Amino acid sequence: MTKRTQLALATAVVAALALGASGCSDPKKGANSGPSAANPAAANDGKTLGGTPVKGGTLTVLSNQDFAHLDPARNWVMPAMDFGTRLLYRTLVTFKAEPGKGGSELVPDLATDLGTPSNGGKTWTFTLKEGVKYEDGSPVKAQDIKYNVERSFAPDLTGGPDYAAQYLAGTEGYKGPLDGKHLDSVKTPDDRTIVFELKRPVAEFSQTATLPTFAPVPQSQEKGTQYDARPFSSGPYKIETYDRDKKLVLVRNEHWDQKTDSVRKAYPDKFVVVMGLKGGQVDDRIIAGEGADASAIEYFNMRPESAPKVLPKPEIKARLLAESQGCTVMLHLNNSRAPFNDPKVREAMQYAVDKEAVITAGGGPALNEVATAYLPPALSGGKQADTLKIPASGDPAKAKELLKAAGKEHLKVSLAVSTGDKGKAEAFQQGLARAGIEVVIDTVDPGAYYDVIGDLSTTPDMTYTGWCPDYPSGSTWLPFVFDGRTIKDKGNQGNYAQFRDEATMKRIDEINAMADAKQANQAWIDLDAEIMKKSPSIPILLERKPLLVGPNIAGAYGHPVWTGTVDYGTVGLKDPSKSQG
């Protein structure tokens, strides 16, 4: 992933936390098998742990690091988007607070409905609910949403979703509102009406309006890059204190009104985020579940070495969430130069890779499943396609045959991985060696990984990373990963294969122009199969998100849209009197 690739930061930041667990499900079944009773990490799939919360108390979130961004114009990392949009600010539209498939359903948030299209889908109008207020009691206005959309264009406010730039008309050369300039394509005829004029029809604009870009920021609260440290709340909580890299404390926004919000339940009185914990501290503290840690959840993934402390123990395993992240992790082949500018060599790579070995290196089949297509199951009807029907362990004989036909029987290629993925890199190395392909591994610090692979002057022959949808639509996936027009000399994100294919780009434009969302969805699935045949990248695995919760936690489930992160809008405590802080 990239910043948004829910695997972007979700993978970049967590690269050192390679998932791990033991299990006995059959990896050959791959993505198509779905959760299995034989998979010990999937036992709580689709469940809400701990029953219904009781209002009150302090819920603690334990983390190894700070948030990337909390400014809604810059927030494009899945766990942070979940945290920000459920607790601190509301968006025009959001996702239902439910585990499983129900969590993908759109519901109004600040708006009274999901928006009204007109002008053939090129104009979208939203009406705001009455009575929605900020933390100081002032009303949320349509002009505040317009202002934050405009902020997303500011060069200094980097890192956020760029859908406004993609979709809105008349944005060429626009640099945001900080110099006093505003967009004509976002109109606010009154305080409760906002109208977006788009470059082209976008049938799924309601889903786009779930992103933090479409949260309100009053111009009077503008603090530039400093807004990250103190977003002005329109949600159920406000920031009491924020000591970067150490602790964030949220308390109730007394002006938030449950009557205007059908999604958030705001059970705890307070959220305390403790940051900077080292090694396995987070896991060990929640496994022990003593004191304040009994009322704690973890922000990032359970570490692989913790699996033996959790999976064999029913009372602890009952507190483990491990929903599918909904992302596909891939081995990207650099299509811009030899040897991977040859389609036959790329096809050989599909057969040469041993995905089973990579899954074992990642902790085993309990938390990893074989990927057989690019689009994750959530975007393809709940089941990944298997266009090429290659065994999960590969077919080195077939790979050798294809390489011989291409005149490339002996290859030496480079592979860059984040430090935490070294074990997986070695699994690639050993698997590809069976077909006579020598791999030179370069491990890169997680903080620099995406800069290295996103710079065309430093990107290697192969890179390993994933991509996740911003919302359940193929339009948030295939165009970002395989549209050659998205490639940048520096800051390239998504199309790490540098895949430039005219037929693919033409089809992307045709699908984007479709007014019927169902027709477009099937078209994305069909395009996935066509791209698979051209093999710009190799889908490797689908990861689950293992998260432990304390024994006093209630209402916890992994939300399907936010890559299996705990839904902060509905989590709380069994007994608030037992919490501390």
Side-chain angles (χ1 to χ4, degrees), residues 82-138:
D82 175 13
F83 190 90
T85 60
R86 287 313 211 201
L87 301 180
L88 288 171
Y89 34 79
R90 299 171 63 178
T91 50
L92 284 171
V93 178
T94 191
F95 292 98
K96 202 168 185 179
E98 281 189 12
K101 188 176 180 180
S104 298
E105 181 181 337
L106 292 176
V107 292
D109 192 358
L110 289 174
T112 57
D113 56 28
L114 302 182
T116 302
S118 57
N119 189 25
K122 292 178 67 176
T123 300
W124 281 80
T125 302
F126 296 85
T127 301
L128 271 59
K129 295 173 182 174
E130 294 187 74
V132 183
K133 297 177 181 180
Y134 291 108
E135 61 181 80
D136 66 350
S138 60

Short mmCIF file of all heavy atoms in Angstrom, two decimals, residues 82-138:
data_model
loop_
_atom_site.label_atom_id
_atom_site.label_comp_id
_atom_site.label_asym_id
_atom_site.label_seq_id
_atom_site.Cartn_x
_atom_site.Cartn_y
_atom_site.Cartn_z
N ASP A 82 -9.81 5.57 10.80
CA ASP A 82 -10.80 5.00 11.70
C ASP A 82 -10.86 5.83 12.99
O ASP A 82 -11.93 6.27 13.43
CB ASP A 82 -10.41 3.55 11.99
CG ASP A 82 -11.30 2.85 13.01
OD1 ASP A 82 -12.37 3.37 13.34
OD2 ASP A 82 -10.89 1.77 13.48
N PHE A 83 -9.71 6.07 13.59
CA PHE A 83 -9.62 6.81 14.84
C PHE A 83 -10.17 8.24 14.68
O PHE A 83 -10.99 8.71 15.47
CB PHE A 83 -8.17 6.86 15.32
CG PHE A 83 -7.98 7.39 16.70
CD1 PHE A 83 -8.01 6.53 17.80
CD2 PHE A 83 -7.75 8.74 16.92
CE1 PHE A 83 -7.83 7.03 19.09
CE2 PHE A 83 -7.57 9.24 18.20
CZ PHE A 83 -7.61 8.38 19.29
N GLY A 84 -9.73 8.92 13.63
CA GLY A 84 -10.12 10.31 13.45
C GLY A 84 -11.59 10.49 13.13
O GLY A 84 -12.28 11.32 13.74
N THR A 85 -12.11 9.69 12.19
CA THR A 85 -13.49 9.89 11.76
C THR A 85 -14.52 9.32 12.72
O THR A 85 -15.67 9.72 12.69
CB THR A 85 -13.73 9.29 10.36
OG1 THR A 85 -13.46 7.88 10.39
CG2 THR A 85 -12.83 9.94 9.31
N ARG A 86 -14.12 8.42 13.59
CA ARG A 86 -15.06 7.88 14.57
C ARG A 86 -15.08 8.70 15.86
O ARG A 86 -16.09 8.75 16.56
CB ARG A 86 -14.71 6.44 14.92
CG ARG A 86 -15.01 5.40 13.84
CD ARG A 86 -16.37 5.51 13.23
NE ARG A 86 -16.89 4.21 12.81
CZ ARG A 86 -17.85 4.04 11.92
NH1 ARG A 86 -18.40 5.09 11.32
NH2 ARG A 86 -18.30 2.83 11.60
N LEU A 87 -13.96 9.37 16.19
CA LEU A 87 -13.86 10.03 17.48
C LEU A 87 -13.78 11.55 17.41
O LEU A 87 -14.37 12.24 18.24
CB LEU A 87 -12.64 9.50 18.25
CG LEU A 87 -12.62 8.00 18.54
CD1 LEU A 87 -11.36 7.64 19.32
CD2 LEU A 87 -13.86 7.57 19.31
N LEU A 88 -13.05 12.09 16.44
CA LEU A 88 -12.76 13.52 16.44
C LEU A 88 -13.54 14.35 15.43
O LEU A 88 -13.83 15.52 15.69
CB LEU A 88 -11.25 13.74 16.19
CG LEU A 88 -10.34 13.37 17.35
CD1 LEU A 88 -8.89 13.42 16.91
CD2 LEU A 88 -10.57 14.31 18.53
N TYR A 89 -13.83 13.80 14.28
CA TYR A 89 -14.55 14.58 13.28
C TYR A 89 -15.44 13.67 12.45
O TYR A 89 -15.18 12.48 12.28
CB TYR A 89 -13.61 15.37 12.36
CG TYR A 89 -12.28 14.70 12.04
CD1 TYR A 89 -12.17 13.71 11.08
CD2 TYR A 89 -11.13 15.10 12.71
CE1 TYR A 89 -10.96 13.12 10.79
CE2 TYR A 89 -9.90 14.51 12.43
CZ TYR A 89 -9.83 13.52 11.47
OH TYR A 89 -8.61 12.93 11.18
N ARG A 90 -16.50 14.27 11.97
CA ARG A 90 -17.49 13.55 11.19
C ARG A 90 -17.34 13.92 9.71
O ARG A 90 -16.80 14.97 9.37
CB ARG A 90 -18.89 13.87 11.71
CG ARG A 90 -19.09 13.45 13.15
CD ARG A 90 -20.37 13.94 13.75
NE ARG A 90 -21.54 13.37 13.08
CZ ARG A 90 -22.80 13.62 13.44
NH1 ARG A 90 -23.05 14.45 14.45
NH2 ARG A 90 -23.81 13.05 12.80
N THR A 91 -17.81 13.03 8.85
CA THR A 91 -17.75 13.25 7.41
C THR A 91 -19.17 13.31 6.84
O THR A 91 -20.14 12.97 7.52
CB THR A 91 -16.94 12.13 6.74
OG1 THR A 91 -17.42 10.86 7.19
CG2 THR A 91 -15.47 12.24 7.09
N LEU A 92 -19.30 13.71 5.60
CA LEU A 92 -20.63 13.81 5.00
C LEU A 92 -21.37 12.48 5.06
O LEU A 92 -22.55 12.40 5.38
CB LEU A 92 -20.52 14.29 3.55
CG LEU A 92 -20.23 15.77 3.34
CD1 LEU A 92 -19.92 16.05 1.86
CD2 LEU A 92 -21.39 16.63 3.81
N VAL A 93 -20.63 11.41 4.74
CA VAL A 93 -21.17 10.05 4.71
C VAL A 93 -20.18 9.18 5.46
O VAL A 93 -18.99 9.49 5.53
CB VAL A 93 -21.35 9.57 3.26
CG1 VAL A 93 -21.86 8.14 3.20
CG2 VAL A 93 -22.29 10.50 2.49
N THR A 94 -20.64 8.08 6.04
CA THR A 94 -19.70 7.17 6.70
C THR A 94 -20.17 5.73 6.50
O THR A 94 -21.12 5.47 5.75
CB THR A 94 -19.55 7.51 8.19
OG1 THR A 94 -18.44 6.77 8.72
CG2 THR A 94 -20.81 7.20 8.98
N PHE A 95 -19.49 4.80 7.17
CA PHE A 95 -19.84 3.38 7.07
C PHE A 95 -20.55 2.93 8.34
O PHE A 95 -20.25 3.40 9.44
CB PHE A 95 -18.60 2.53 6.82
CG PHE A 95 -17.98 2.76 5.47
CD1 PHE A 95 -16.89 3.61 5.32
CD2 PHE A 95 -18.52 2.16 4.35
CE1 PHE A 95 -16.33 3.84 4.08
CE2 PHE A 95 -17.97 2.38 3.10
CZ PHE A 95 -16.88 3.23 2.96
N LYS A 96 -21.45 2.01 8.18
CA LYS A 96 -22.22 1.49 9.29
C LYS A 96 -21.30 0.87 10.33
O LYS A 96 -20.26 0.31 9.99
CB LYS A 96 -23.21 0.44 8.77
CG LYS A 96 -24.40 0.19 9.66
CD LYS A 96 -25.45 -0.65 8.92
CE LYS A 96 -26.72 -0.82 9.74
NZ LYS A 96 -27.73 -1.61 9.00
N ALA A 97 -21.68 1.00 11.58
CA ALA A 97 -20.89 0.43 12.67
C ALA A 97 -21.33 -1.00 12.92
O ALA A 97 -22.12 -1.29 13.80
CB ALA A 97 -21.05 1.27 13.93
N GLU A 98 -20.80 -1.92 12.12
CA GLU A 98 -21.12 -3.34 12.24
C GLU A 98 -19.93 -4.18 11.79
O GLU A 98 -19.19 -3.77 10.90
CB GLU A 98 -22.32 -3.72 11.35
CG GLU A 98 -23.68 -3.36 11.91
CD GLU A 98 -24.80 -3.97 11.06
OE1 GLU A 98 -24.50 -4.82 10.21
OE2 GLU A 98 -25.96 -3.57 11.26
N PRO A 99 -19.78 -5.36 12.37
CA PRO A 99 -18.74 -6.27 11.87
C PRO A 99 -19.21 -6.93 10.57
O PRO A 99 -20.40 -6.89 10.24
CB PRO A 99 -18.61 -7.31 12.99
CG PRO A 99 -19.97 -7.32 13.64
CD PRO A 99 -20.48 -5.91 13.54
N GLY A 100 -18.27 -7.50 9.86
CA GLY A 100 -18.62 -8.26 8.66
C GLY A 100 -19.16 -7.39 7.53
O GLY A 100 -18.92 -6.19 7.45
N LYS A 101 -19.93 -8.02 6.68
CA LYS A 101 -20.43 -7.37 5.46
C LYS A 101 -21.23 -6.11 5.76
O LYS A 101 -21.18 -5.14 5.00
CB LYS A 101 -21.29 -8.37 4.68
CG LYS A 101 -21.72 -7.87 3.31
CD LYS A 101 -22.49 -8.95 2.55
CE LYS A 101 -22.92 -8.46 1.17
NZ LYS A 101 -23.67 -9.51 0.43
N GLY A 102 -21.97 -6.10 6.87
CA GLY A 102 -22.79 -4.94 7.20
C GLY A 102 -21.99 -3.67 7.36
O GLY A 102 -22.50 -2.56 7.14
N GLY A 103 -20.72 -3.79 7.75
CA GLY A 103 -19.88 -2.62 7.94
C GLY A 103 -19.53 -1.88 6.67
O GLY A 103 -19.04 -0.75 6.73
N SER A 104 -19.78 -2.49 5.53
CA SER A 104 -19.50 -1.84 4.25
C SER A 104 -20.68 -0.99 3.76
O SER A 104 -20.59 -0.36 2.71
CB SER A 104 -19.16 -2.89 3.18
OG SER A 104 -17.99 -3.60 3.55
N GLU A 105 -21.77 -1.00 4.51
CA GLU A 105 -22.95 -0.25 4.08
C GLU A 105 -22.77 1.24 4.38
O GLU A 105 -22.38 1.64 5.47
CB GLU A 105 -24.19 -0.77 4.81
CG GLU A 105 -25.48 -0.07 4.41
CD GLU A 105 -26.68 -0.58 5.18
OE1 GLU A 105 -26.63 -1.72 5.68
OE2 GLU A 105 -27.68 0.16 5.28
N LEU A 106 -23.09 2.07 3.40
CA LEU A 106 -23.01 3.51 3.57
C LEU A 106 -24.21 4.03 4.35
O LEU A 106 -25.34 3.59 4.14
CB LEU A 106 -22.98 4.22 2.21
CG LEU A 106 -21.75 4.05 1.33
CD1 LEU A 106 -21.97 4.75 0.00
CD2 LEU A 106 -20.52 4.61 2.01
N VAL A 107 -23.95 5.00 5.24
CA VAL A 107 -25.02 5.67 5.97
C VAL A 107 -24.69 7.16 6.03
O VAL A 107 -23.52 7.55 6.01
CB VAL A 107 -25.20 5.10 7.39
CG1 VAL A 107 -25.74 3.68 7.35
CG2 VAL A 107 -23.89 5.15 8.17
N PRO A 108 -25.71 8.02 6.12
CA PRO A 108 -25.43 9.45 6.24
C PRO A 108 -24.72 9.75 7.56
O PRO A 108 -24.94 9.07 8.57
CB PRO A 108 -26.83 10.08 6.21
CG PRO A 108 -27.72 9.05 5.62
CD PRO A 108 -27.15 7.73 6.03
N ASP A 109 -23.90 10.78 7.57
CA ASP A 109 -23.24 11.20 8.80
C ASP A 109 -23.58 12.67 9.06
O ASP A 109 -24.59 12.97 9.67
CB ASP A 109 -21.73 10.97 8.71
CG ASP A 109 -21.04 11.11 10.04
OD1 ASP A 109 -21.70 11.42 11.04
OD2 ASP A 109 -19.80 10.93 10.11
N LEU A 110 -22.78 13.60 8.56
CA LEU A 110 -23.16 15.01 8.65
C LEU A 110 -24.33 15.33 7.75
O LEU A 110 -25.12 16.23 8.03
CB LEU A 110 -21.97 15.91 8.29
CG LEU A 110 -20.81 15.97 9.28
CD1 LEU A 110 -19.68 16.78 8.69
CD2 LEU A 110 -21.26 16.57 10.61
N ALA A 111 -24.42 14.60 6.64
CA ALA A 111 -25.48 14.86 5.66
C ALA A 111 -26.77 14.14 6.07
O ALA A 111 -26.77 13.19 6.85
CB ALA A 111 -25.04 14.40 4.29
N THR A 112 -27.87 14.61 5.50
CA THR A 112 -29.18 14.01 5.78
C THR A 112 -29.40 12.75 4.98
O THR A 112 -30.26 11.93 5.32
CB THR A 112 -30.30 15.00 5.45
OG1 THR A 112 -30.19 15.40 4.07
CG2 THR A 112 -30.21 16.25 6.33
N ASP A 113 -28.63 12.57 3.89
CA ASP A 113 -28.75 11.37 3.06
C ASP A 113 -27.40 11.11 2.40
O ASP A 113 -26.38 11.71 2.78
CB ASP A 113 -29.88 11.52 2.03
CG ASP A 113 -29.72 12.75 1.15
OD1 ASP A 113 -28.57 13.20 0.93
OD2 ASP A 113 -30.74 13.27 0.65
N LEU A 114 -27.38 10.23 1.42
CA LEU A 114 -26.12 9.86 0.77
C LEU A 114 -25.75 10.76 -0.39
O LEU A 114 -24.84 10.45 -1.16
CB LEU A 114 -26.20 8.40 0.30
CG LEU A 114 -26.49 7.36 1.38
CD1 LEU A 114 -26.51 5.96 0.79
CD2 LEU A 114 -25.47 7.44 2.52
N GLY A 115 -26.44 11.87 -0.53
CA GLY A 115 -26.14 12.81 -1.61
C GLY A 115 -27.05 12.59 -2.80
O GLY A 115 -27.53 11.49 -3.05
N THR A 116 -27.30 13.67 -3.53
CA THR A 116 -28.18 13.62 -4.69
C THR A 116 -27.41 13.97 -5.95
O THR A 116 -26.90 15.09 -6.07
CB THR A 116 -29.35 14.61 -4.52
OG1 THR A 116 -30.05 14.29 -3.32
CG2 THR A 116 -30.29 14.54 -5.71
N PRO A 117 -27.28 13.03 -6.89
CA PRO A 117 -26.59 13.34 -8.15
C PRO A 117 -27.53 14.04 -9.14
O PRO A 117 -28.74 13.83 -9.11
CB PRO A 117 -26.18 11.95 -8.66
CG PRO A 117 -27.23 11.03 -8.12
CD PRO A 117 -27.66 11.60 -6.80
N SER A 118 -26.95 14.83 -9.98
CA SER A 118 -27.68 15.46 -11.08
C SER A 118 -26.69 15.71 -12.21
O SER A 118 -25.51 15.36 -12.10
CB SER A 118 -28.33 16.77 -10.62
OG SER A 118 -27.36 17.67 -10.09
N ASN A 119 -27.17 16.29 -13.28
CA ASN A 119 -26.29 16.58 -14.42
C ASN A 119 -25.55 15.33 -14.88
O ASN A 119 -24.34 15.35 -15.15
CB ASN A 119 -25.31 17.70 -14.04
CG ASN A 119 -24.50 18.22 -15.23
OD1 ASN A 119 -24.94 18.13 -16.37
ND2 ASN A 119 -23.33 18.76 -14.95
N GLY A 120 -26.28 14.21 -14.91
CA GLY A 120 -25.69 12.95 -15.37
C GLY A 120 -24.63 12.41 -14.44
O GLY A 120 -23.75 11.65 -14.87
N GLY A 121 -24.69 12.75 -13.15
CA GLY A 121 -23.70 12.26 -12.20
C GLY A 121 -22.49 13.15 -12.06
O GLY A 121 -21.55 12.82 -11.32
N LYS A 122 -22.49 14.32 -12.71
CA LYS A 122 -21.36 15.25 -12.62
C LYS A 122 -21.56 16.29 -11.53
O LYS A 122 -20.64 17.06 -11.22
CB LYS A 122 -21.13 15.94 -13.97
CG LYS A 122 -20.64 15.00 -15.06
CD LYS A 122 -20.48 15.71 -16.39
CE LYS A 122 -19.37 16.73 -16.37
NZ LYS A 122 -19.16 17.34 -17.71
N THR A 123 -22.75 16.35 -10.96
CA THR A 123 -23.02 17.28 -9.86
C THR A 123 -23.62 16.49 -8.69
O THR A 123 -24.52 15.68 -8.90
CB THR A 123 -24.00 18.38 -10.30
OG1 THR A 123 -23.44 19.11 -11.40
CG2 THR A 123 -24.28 19.35 -9.15
N TRP A 124 -23.09 16.73 -7.50
CA TRP A 124 -23.58 16.06 -6.30
C TRP A 124 -23.90 17.10 -5.23
O TRP A 124 -23.07 17.96 -4.92
CB TRP A 124 -22.53 15.07 -5.76
CG TRP A 124 -22.51 13.78 -6.52
CD1 TRP A 124 -21.90 13.54 -7.73
CD2 TRP A 124 -23.13 12.56 -6.14
NE1 TRP A 124 -22.12 12.24 -8.11
CE2 TRP A 124 -22.85 11.61 -7.16
CE3 TRP A 124 -23.87 12.16 -5.03
CZ2 TRP A 124 -23.31 10.29 -7.10
CZ3 TRP A 124 -24.33 10.85 -4.97
CH2 TRP A 124 -24.04 9.93 -5.99
N THR A 125 -25.10 16.96 -4.66
CA THR A 125 -25.56 17.91 -3.65
C THR A 125 -25.84 17.20 -2.33
O THR A 125 -26.50 16.15 -2.31
CB THR A 125 -26.84 18.62 -4.12
OG1 THR A 125 -26.58 19.28 -5.37
CG2 THR A 125 -27.30 19.65 -3.10
N PHE A 126 -25.33 17.78 -1.24
CA PHE A 126 -25.55 17.25 0.10
C PHE A 126 -26.17 18.33 0.98
O PHE A 126 -25.77 19.50 0.90
CB PHE A 126 -24.24 16.79 0.74
CG PHE A 126 -23.57 15.65 0.04
CD1 PHE A 126 -22.73 15.87 -1.05
CD2 PHE A 126 -23.76 14.33 0.47
CE1 PHE A 126 -22.10 14.81 -1.70
CE2 PHE A 126 -23.13 13.27 -0.17
CZ PHE A 126 -22.31 13.51 -1.26
N THR A 127 -27.11 17.92 1.82
CA THR A 127 -27.71 18.83 2.79
C THR A 127 -27.30 18.39 4.19
O THR A 127 -27.43 17.21 4.55
CB THR A 127 -29.25 18.80 2.68
OG1 THR A 127 -29.63 19.17 1.36
CG2 THR A 127 -29.88 19.76 3.68
N LEU A 128 -26.79 19.31 4.99
CA LEU A 128 -26.33 18.98 6.33
C LEU A 128 -27.49 18.88 7.32
O LEU A 128 -28.49 19.58 7.20
CB LEU A 128 -25.35 20.04 6.83
CG LEU A 128 -23.86 19.82 6.49
CD1 LEU A 128 -23.64 19.73 4.99
CD2 LEU A 128 -23.01 20.94 7.09
N LYS A 129 -27.31 18.01 8.30
CA LYS A 129 -28.29 17.89 9.38
C LYS A 129 -28.29 19.17 10.22
O LYS A 129 -27.28 19.88 10.32
CB LYS A 129 -27.93 16.70 10.28
CG LYS A 129 -28.00 15.34 9.61
CD LYS A 129 -27.47 14.26 10.55
CE LYS A 129 -27.49 12.89 9.89
NZ LYS A 129 -26.85 11.86 10.73
N GLU A 130 -29.39 19.42 10.86
CA GLU A 130 -29.47 20.54 11.80
C GLU A 130 -28.96 20.09 13.17
O GLU A 130 -29.08 18.93 13.55
CB GLU A 130 -30.92 21.02 11.93
CG GLU A 130 -31.47 21.63 10.65
CD GLU A 130 -32.85 22.24 10.87
OE1 GLU A 130 -32.90 23.33 11.49
OE2 GLU A 130 -33.84 21.63 10.44
N GLY A 131 -28.38 21.02 13.89
CA GLY A 131 -28.00 20.76 15.27
C GLY A 131 -26.64 20.14 15.49
O GLY A 131 -26.31 19.79 16.62
N VAL A 132 -25.82 19.98 14.44
CA VAL A 132 -24.47 19.44 14.60
C VAL A 132 -23.54 20.57 15.01
O VAL A 132 -23.48 21.61 14.35
CB VAL A 132 -23.97 18.77 13.32
CG1 VAL A 132 -22.59 18.16 13.55
CG2 VAL A 132 -24.94 17.70 12.85
N LYS A 133 -22.79 20.35 16.10
CA LYS A 133 -21.98 21.44 16.66
C LYS A 133 -20.53 21.00 16.89
O LYS A 133 -20.24 19.83 17.09
CB LYS A 133 -22.58 21.91 17.99
CG LYS A 133 -23.97 22.50 17.87
CD LYS A 133 -24.52 22.89 19.23
CE LYS A 133 -25.94 23.45 19.10
NZ LYS A 133 -26.48 23.82 20.43
N TYR A 134 -19.66 22.00 16.88
CA TYR A 134 -18.25 21.79 17.24
C TYR A 134 -18.09 21.77 18.76
O TYR A 134 -19.03 22.03 19.51
CB TYR A 134 -17.39 22.91 16.66
CG TYR A 134 -17.26 22.91 15.17
CD1 TYR A 134 -17.90 23.87 14.39
CD2 TYR A 134 -16.48 21.95 14.52
CE1 TYR A 134 -17.77 23.90 13.02
CE2 TYR A 134 -16.34 21.95 13.14
CZ TYR A 134 -16.99 22.93 12.39
OH TYR A 134 -16.87 22.94 11.03
N GLU A 135 -16.88 21.54 19.18
CA GLU A 135 -16.59 21.44 20.60
C GLU A 135 -16.83 22.74 21.37
O GLU A 135 -16.96 22.72 22.61
CB GLU A 135 -15.15 20.98 20.83
CG GLU A 135 -14.09 21.91 20.26
CD GLU A 135 -12.68 21.39 20.50
OE1 GLU A 135 -12.23 20.51 19.75
OE2 GLU A 135 -12.05 21.86 21.46
N ASP A 136 -16.89 23.89 20.68
CA ASP A 136 -17.17 25.15 21.36
C ASP A 136 -18.64 25.53 21.28
O ASP A 136 -19.04 26.62 21.73
CB ASP A 136 -16.30 26.28 20.80
CG ASP A 136 -16.64 26.62 19.34
OD1 ASP A 136 -17.41 25.85 18.71
OD2 ASP A 136 -16.13 27.64 18.84
N GLY A 137 -19.48 24.64 20.71
CA GLY A 137 -20.90 24.91 20.61
C GLY A 137 -21.33 25.62 19.35
O GLY A 137 -22.53 25.79 19.12
N SER A 138 -20.38 26.04 18.51
CA SER A 138 -20.73 26.70 17.26
C SER A 138 -21.21 25.66 16.24
O SER A 138 -20.82 24.49 16.30
CB SER A 138 -19.54 27.48 16.70
OG SER A 138 -18.44 26.60 16.45
#
